[in-house]
Amino acid sequence: MNSRSVANLAGRFRPRTVALLAAPLALLVPAIAVAGSNNHIAVSATPQPVEVVPLPCFPSGKLTLGMTNTGRKPTIGDMHVSGDPALTLSRHQFSSYLPVGQLVKAPLEITVPRGTAPATHTVALSVGKDQLQVPVVVKPVPARDNLLLGEQAVASSTNGDMRLCGGVDGNTDSAQWGASGWHDATKGVFPDTYGVDFVQPTTIGRVVVQTLDSAKYPAAVMGIRDFDVRTRTGAEWTTVGEFRANVEGQLPVTFEPRAVDAVQLVVHDSNDHGYSRIIELEAYNH
């Protein structure tokens, strides 16, 4: 058989062989579309507009991102998240498997540096060629009776399930423990500290401490037991309140008003001897 005959014979069988090899591979590929400009993905965000206050722990700037697959097959969605330079975003990408007709959500936190001027900025959300512009309104810092509200908290440690800002975010509801509040990350190890360093001397004359105290988690069982309230002026700390064997949920401390640089709790023990649990720490000038 000459070389031409061999080539002709090989040509007859090659397409069939390739087809047979490709068929099992095709069966292994799932019926999932790849997100792109031709996919049907609806982009959403709530609330609109979102409002932000230029304080590091103020409870604002929370946006819920959403993608809904309006096509006929499950797909993978990749949302690109960007914002004006004045905005700090907690994420720049949101990727998820998207079943048909189901809204898939993800959180986005937006903050701005202290001193940012009131203005309207924009967060841009895009999936392929589809885009959504979300207005972000920077509000003036509100007048606050509670001088710790929204200020940057500092702590000896913070449990991974909690937020450092949880004790100065204005939420005083113990029933919402977990969604708000603070506790340390060192079980059974004391002392723990939690407080605020002011950016400039601030006059205060009253501090209110609220520990965990709900029907499910009463202060006598889960609240802080032995603790001190301190203020700092310059490098000098002054104890303005001492509590021992506490079983109450809310504890005020009143003293002669003074200009201070910091307010701090020093917790020596809790009623379960486990964690220091704070719902809210407040300070007032009278």
Side-chain angles (χ1 to χ4, degrees), residues 2 68 89 99 123 175 187 219 223 244:
N2 58 35
T68 304
L89 309 181
V123 167
K187 184 177 183 179
R244 300 295 183 265

Side-chain angles (χ1 to χ4, degrees), residues 1 8 23-24 53-54 59 81 112 132 217 265 273:
M1 183 179 293
N8 290 337
V53 171
V81 182
V112 292
L132 177 63
Y217 303 114
L265 293 181
H273 312 296

Side-chain angles (χ1 to χ4, degrees), residues 175-214:
Q176 295 185 27
W177 176 250
S180 182
W182 168 89
H183 74 79
D184 65 289
T186 55
K187 184 177 183 179
V189 179
F190 296 93
D192 301 313
T193 60
Y194 187 81
V196 162
D197 289 345
F198 291 113
V199 295
Q200 60 186 17
T202 301
T203 299
I204 65 171
R206 180 165 57 99
V207 173
V208 179
V209 181
Q210 184 166 328
T211 187
L212 179 61
D213 186 27
S214 65

Side-chain angles (χ1 to χ4, degrees), residues 49-60:
V50 61
E51 296 183 349
V52 181
V53 171
L55 288 173
C57 285
F58 200 84
S60 62

Side-chain angles (χ1 to χ4, degrees), residues 50 52 86-87 112 116-122 135-140:
V50 61
V52 181
L87 307 178
V112 292
T116 301
T120 299
H121 298 276
T122 301
V136 179
V137 179
V138 179
K139 305 285 286 185

Side-chain angles (χ1 to χ4, degrees), residues 159-179:
N159 190 281
D161 293 333
M162 309 297 289
R163 297 185 307 112
L164 176 61
C165 291
V168 289
D169 64 358
N171 188 343
T172 60
D173 187 356
S174 283
Q176 295 185 27
W177 176 250

Side-chain angles (χ1 to χ4, degrees), residues 26-245:
L27 294 176
L28 297 176
V29 178
I32 299 178
V34 178
S37 60
N38 293 326
N39 285 116
H40 302 282
I41 298 177
V43 180
S44 62
T46 55
Q48 292 193 48
V50 61
E51 296 183 349
V52 181
V53 171
L55 288 173
C57 285
F58 200 84
S60 62
K62 298 184 186 301
L63 194 64
T64 299
L65 310 179
M67 291 190 290
T68 304
N69 178 9
T70 60
R72 297 182 178 181
K73 294 181 180 180
T75 188
I76 303 295
D78 292 304
M79 178 188 292
H80 178 67
V81 182
S82 61
D84 291 348
L87 307 178
T88 300
L89 309 181
S90 63
R91 69 194 309 151
H92 295 278
Q93 189 79 16
F94 168 29
S95 300
S96 179
Y97 170 78
L98 302 176
V100 175
Q102 180 176 327
L103 173 64
V104 179
K105 299 184 290 186
L108 173 67
E109 292 192 5
I110 306 167
T111 58
V112 292
R114 186 190 300 272
T116 301
T120 299
H121 298 276
T122 301
V123 167
L125 313 176
S126 61
V127 178
K129 294 182 178 180
D130 299 324
Q131 292 193 355
L132 177 63
Q133 304 288 322
V134 181
V136 179
V137 179
V138 179
K139 305 285 286 185
V141 174
R144 297 163 294 159
D145 289 335
N146 172 16
L147 300 172
L148 302 189
L149 177 61
E151 295 292 341
Q152 182 60 65
V154 291
S156 53
S157 67
T158 299
N159 190 281
D161 293 333
M162 309 297 289
R163 297 185 307 112
L164 176 61
C165 291
V168 289
D169 64 358
N171 188 343
T172 60
D173 187 356
S174 283
Q176 295 185 27
W177 176 250
S180 182
W182 168 89
H183 74 79
D184 65 289
T186 55
K187 184 177 183 179
V189 179
F190 296 93
D192 301 313
T193 60
Y194 187 81
V196 162
D197 289 345
F198 291 113
V199 295
Q200 60 186 17
T202 301
T203 299
I204 65 171
R206 180 165 57 99
V207 173
V208 179
V209 181
Q210 184 166 328
T211 187
L212 179 61
D213 186 27
S214 65
K216 186 176 182 180
Y217 303 114
V221 178
M222 303 292 281
I224 54 176
R225 172 186 172 89
D226 303 326
F227 62 97
D228 301 328
V229 180
R230 308 197 304 175
T231 62
R232 178 174 59 80
T233 302
E236 182 179 353
W237 286 100
T238 301
T239 299
V240 295
E242 294 185 359
F243 295 86
R244 300 295 183 265

